[in-house]
Amino acid sequence: MTITEKSHFDTIIVGAGSAGCLLANRLSADPNHKVLLIEAGGQDDWIWIKIPVGYLFTINNPRTDWCFKTEPDPGLNGRSIHYARGKVLGGSSSINAMIYMRGQESDYKQWSDITGDSIWNWNNSLATYKSIENYFAGDNEWHGSKGEMRVEEPRVQWPILDSWRKAASQQGIPSIEEFNRGDNDGCAYFHMNQKKGIRWSMSDAFLKPIKQRSNLTIMTHTQVLKVLTKDITSETRNQSQNTERAWANSKLETYGLEILHKGEKQIVTANDQVILSAGAVSTPHLLQVSGIGPASLLNNIGVKVVHDLPGVGENLQDHLQIRTVYKVSNCKTVNTLYKNIFSRMMMVLQYILFRKGPMTMPPSTLGAFAKSDPNQISANLEWHVQPLSLPKFGDPLDPFNAITPSVTNIRPTSRGWIRAVSSNPLEYPKILCNYLSTKEDLDIAVAGLKKTREIMKSEALSTYSPEEMLPGENVQTDQELQHAAKDLGTTIFHPVGTCSMGKVDNNGNAENPMTVLDSECRLRGISKLRVIDASAMPKVTSGNTNAPVMLIAETIARKILRSN
């Protein structure tokens, strides 16, 4: 391993995903601050990344996806499923559904309560969201237009989705203008991270405009092998910013990373801090193989315990979507349009000429939120309604016209984990989501399926003569519906919480021993080390998770810049 002059930086960021792109932008704004951004994947210049419907080709493709697999899950009737995570500049924002969803005011109250820090309450979070947005309709009470994250309306319409929206209204789910105002109860078309019909990833928004900065180094196709630590020095201890809260009384500090680049191991060092932004799967895995995590796990896999931190890799939360399928008549859906060579050519032409039509479509265009029962503090069910059907991503579309109203419990109580299986950092970790492992989650799954049936039987959809294909009309009892939920359920790709924030006092003591980070994403017990990505969320937000990741990154970037 060689250390050259170019191996020394002020800040090193691991992962050029959503958070990493923003952090690189903000922290390299000072030309005297040297930043290294490390990405395991490659450039985001493949055409299917930019065309919105290209997620069909980027997910489950090793060119752009880590292609993780979960452990067989009892909550899925023993199935193992594909667990997509972006492996490319932009991370999962280069392959995701592009849906711009903040969550709800109640989510941020929970974050604020769990962390004991008002920086995460709704009012502060709303102001931050507005500051990083470039909203299609300009500035208003809820949105901003001077930021980098482009937010637009859908550029394709489907009459059957308009009818589904009316059907939802007939079942007590009102039509609303949008979802991003703190209370999502209602039905609306999703806002998306697109710009004139092209995917607008966080690489597009935050990295590409500044990648030529002389003080920013971007390394792609580079695997981080280990977080390097040493006994804390007196110099570090004497700098107040390195001993705040989670770093108070630290006996260790990080000073860099061991990496694998072009087949050679190297060491890169950081004067100020190392930030892990590798995502809710890879961040805890990297910590564990570096000896930072639950001592019992590390001992079992032959990793020397550097710092016993039991919460690393635990508290995995994810949204499970239950994909119901209804065959429909008297309309066209993607299923049959795609089968017809002429209509397929027209889709391509419409996109090339106008940047409109089905090729601009995210996996879901229409959404709805509602309470599974009146006692919920806010909407806890979310529907993603698709004008198509297929058994799973990668499979051919069904040969008949159909829609897929997918229902999700957006506040699950089930918890899973990410655990390294050996000391080899290149060996994938085990992922167990433990879906539907609580009675509450099972009850809500049944309520969601029943509510979906009520909507599909509404007068507004009668023109289309919907016929339930999955789970099927023969599935009636609660026990049968629970079994169906386990058969039909699959991830909606929202893993969070595996290095979660919590209350940490000024002496570095956590109220909950499973807390990994303080409210400013400092890792407990190791100075100069932060985790800034979806891992940090103490609770999953009520909806899609990319926007909340950007909130975390922007909020903590500002804190870092102030302290510097």
Side-chain angles (χ1 to χ4, degrees), residues 246-522:
W247 294 342
N249 298 316
S250 293
K251 295 186 169 93
L252 298 169
E253 64 176 280
T254 184
Y255 65 92
L257 303 166
E258 181 184 350
I259 63 174
L260 183 65
H261 180 65
K262 294 183 178 178
E264 293 186 0
K265 290 183 179 180
Q266 302 176 32
I267 287 176
V268 289
T269 58
N271 294 325
D272 288 356
Q273 61 191 316
V274 172
I275 299 173
L276 306 186
S277 299
V281 174
S282 294
T283 286
H285 180 236
L286 174 59
L287 287 169
Q288 289 168 0
V289 297
S290 303
I292 304 165
S296 58
L297 169 66
L298 304 183
N299 288 327
N300 287 339
I301 62 174
V303 173
K304 180 183 177 182
V305 178
V306 172
H307 183 52
D308 181 15
L309 201 53
V312 172
E314 302 301 306
N315 192 46
L316 173 62
Q317 302 161 57
D318 191 16
H319 289 144
L320 181 75
Q321 59 171 330
I322 303 170
R323 295 174 59 83
T324 68
V325 172
Y326 287 81
K327 186 177 181 179
V328 292
S329 305
N330 305 315
C331 70
K332 291 182 179 180
T333 65
V334 175
N335 288 16
T336 50
L337 287 174
Y338 188 77
K339 298 287 184 185
N340 183 291
I341 185 65
F342 176 75
S343 59
R344 200 187 311 179
M345 289 174 61
M346 290 303 294
M347 288 184 204
V348 174
L349 192 60
Q350 186 181 20
Y351 184 76
I352 291 172
L353 294 177
F354 307 109
R355 292 289 188 266
K356 291 185 177 182
M359 291 188 70
T360 68
M361 194 176 76
S364 301
T365 306
L366 181 70
F369 286 78
K371 294 180 179 180
S372 63
D373 67 82
N375 295 322
Q376 297 292 328
I377 58 172
S378 58
N380 67 321
L381 290 175
E382 180 184 10
W383 283 266
H384 292 77
V385 191
Q386 303 170 322
L388 54 82
S389 68
L390 68 171
K392 62 179 184 295
F393 284 119
D395 286 357
L397 294 164
D398 290 322
F400 48 81
N401 277 314
I403 64 170
T404 301
S406 171
V407 64
T408 301
N409 172 8
I410 47 178
R411 282 200 297 275
T413 53
S414 299
R415 297 290 182 268
W417 44 256
I418 308 289
R419 294 176 185 166
V421 297
S422 76
S423 60
N424 181 0
L426 302 181
E427 186 174 1
Y428 280 7
K430 286 186 177 181
I431 303 168
L432 183 64
C433 297
N434 278 325
Y435 294 120
L436 301 176
S437 58
T438 66
K439 182 180 184 302
E440 181 179 344
D441 286 356
L442 283 168
D443 290 344
I444 292 172
V446 170
L449 288 169
K450 289 180 177 179
K451 189 67 175 178
T452 304
R453 282 178 168 171
E454 291 173 6
I455 295 169
M456 294 304 301
K457 291 177 181 176
S458 298
E459 188 274 334
L461 286 169
S462 60
T463 302
Y464 304 104
S465 304
E467 177 186 350
E468 184 178 318
M469 308 298 289
L470 293 174
E473 288 287 356
N474 60 313
V475 178
Q476 288 296 324
T477 68
D478 285 3
Q479 187 175 6
E480 289 170 341
L481 288 168
Q482 287 179 6
H483 188 82
K486 293 180 178 183
D487 271 345
L488 300 176
T490 190
T491 179
I492 207 162
F493 307 118
H494 298 162
V496 308
T498 49
C499 294
S500 61
M501 294 186 287
K503 288 182 183 176
V504 179
D505 66 20
N506 290 330
N507 294 315
N509 300 312
E511 184 176 280
N512 183 338
M514 299 302 285
T515 293
V516 177
L517 313 172
D518 67 16
S519 65
E520 295 183 17
C521 294
R522 305 179 190 93

Side-chain angles (χ1 to χ4, degrees), residues 103-379:
Q104 301 185 94
E105 182 173 353
S106 57
D107 300 327
Y108 297 97
K109 183 182 186 309
Q110 285 188 320
W111 284 19
S112 182
D113 290 345
I114 292 170
T115 62
D117 197 331
S118 63
I119 63 170
W120 299 116
N121 69 29
W122 172 248
N123 289 335
N124 288 328
S125 296
L126 177 61
T128 304
Y129 275 126
K130 290 171 67 175
S131 73
I132 61 176
E133 281 180 0
N134 179 5
Y135 187 61
F136 69 94
D139 293 303
N140 60 36
E141 180 182 359
W142 306 105
H143 294 284
S145 63
K146 299 177 179 63
E148 297 93 338
M149 282 183 71
R150 182 64 179 173
V151 180
E152 294 191 350
E153 292 180 303
R155 300 170 72 87
V156 61
Q157 293 181 317
W158 299 91
I160 193 167
L161 296 189
D162 294 336
S163 297
W164 200 96
R165 195 178 186 196
K166 292 175 183 176
S169 180
Q170 290 172 352
Q171 296 300 327
I173 305 175
S175 295
I176 59 174
E177 188 175 348
E178 63 154 321
F179 292 123
N180 286 310
R181 299 180 179 181
D183 181 0
N184 288 352
D185 191 30
C187 186
Y189 286 93
F190 290 121
H191 288 160
M192 303 172 300
N193 290 128
Q194 289 186 12
K195 190 169 187 178
K196 297 180 180 178
I198 297 173
R199 176 189 290 272
W200 192 247
S201 74
M202 299 308 100
S203 171
D204 294 316
F206 296 99
L207 192 59
K208 289 179 181 175
I210 56 95
K211 66 180 182 180
Q212 299 303 325
R213 287 177 180 170
S214 60
N215 61 314
L216 174 63
T217 301
I218 302 170
M219 297 179 72
T220 57
H221 299 294
T222 302
Q223 181 79 42
V224 178
L225 303 177
K226 188 177 183 180
V227 177
L228 302 174
T229 57
K230 64 182 180 181
D231 291 341
I232 193 166
T233 63
S234 57
E235 180 183 3
T236 297
R237 191 176 284 112
N238 290 333
Q239 295 174 330
S240 60
Q241 71 268 27
N242 293 328
T243 57
E244 292 181 356
R245 290 170 55 207
W247 294 342
N249 298 316
S250 293
K251 295 186 169 93
L252 298 169
E253 64 176 280
T254 184
Y255 65 92
L257 303 166
E258 181 184 350
I259 63 174
L260 183 65
H261 180 65
K262 294 183 178 178
E264 293 186 0
K265 290 183 179 180
Q266 302 176 32
I267 287 176
V268 289
T269 58
N271 294 325
D272 288 356
Q273 61 191 316
V274 172
I275 299 173
L276 306 186
S277 299
V281 174
S282 294
T283 286
H285 180 236
L286 174 59
L287 287 169
Q288 289 168 0
V289 297
S290 303
I292 304 165
S296 58
L297 169 66
L298 304 183
N299 288 327
N300 287 339
I301 62 174
V303 173
K304 180 183 177 182
V305 178
V306 172
H307 183 52
D308 181 15
L309 201 53
V312 172
E314 302 301 306
N315 192 46
L316 173 62
Q317 302 161 57
D318 191 16
H319 289 144
L320 181 75
Q321 59 171 330
I322 303 170
R323 295 174 59 83
T324 68
V325 172
Y326 287 81
K327 186 177 181 179
V328 292
S329 305
N330 305 315
C331 70
K332 291 182 179 180
T333 65
V334 175
N335 288 16
T336 50
L337 287 174
Y338 188 77
K339 298 287 184 185
N340 183 291
I341 185 65
F342 176 75
S343 59
R344 200 187 311 179
M345 289 174 61
M346 290 303 294
M347 288 184 204
V348 174
L349 192 60
Q350 186 181 20
Y351 184 76
I352 291 172
L353 294 177
F354 307 109
R355 292 289 188 266
K356 291 185 177 182
M359 291 188 70
T360 68
M361 194 176 76
S364 301
T365 306
L366 181 70
F369 286 78
K371 294 180 179 180
S372 63
D373 67 82
N375 295 322
Q376 297 292 328
I377 58 172
S378 58

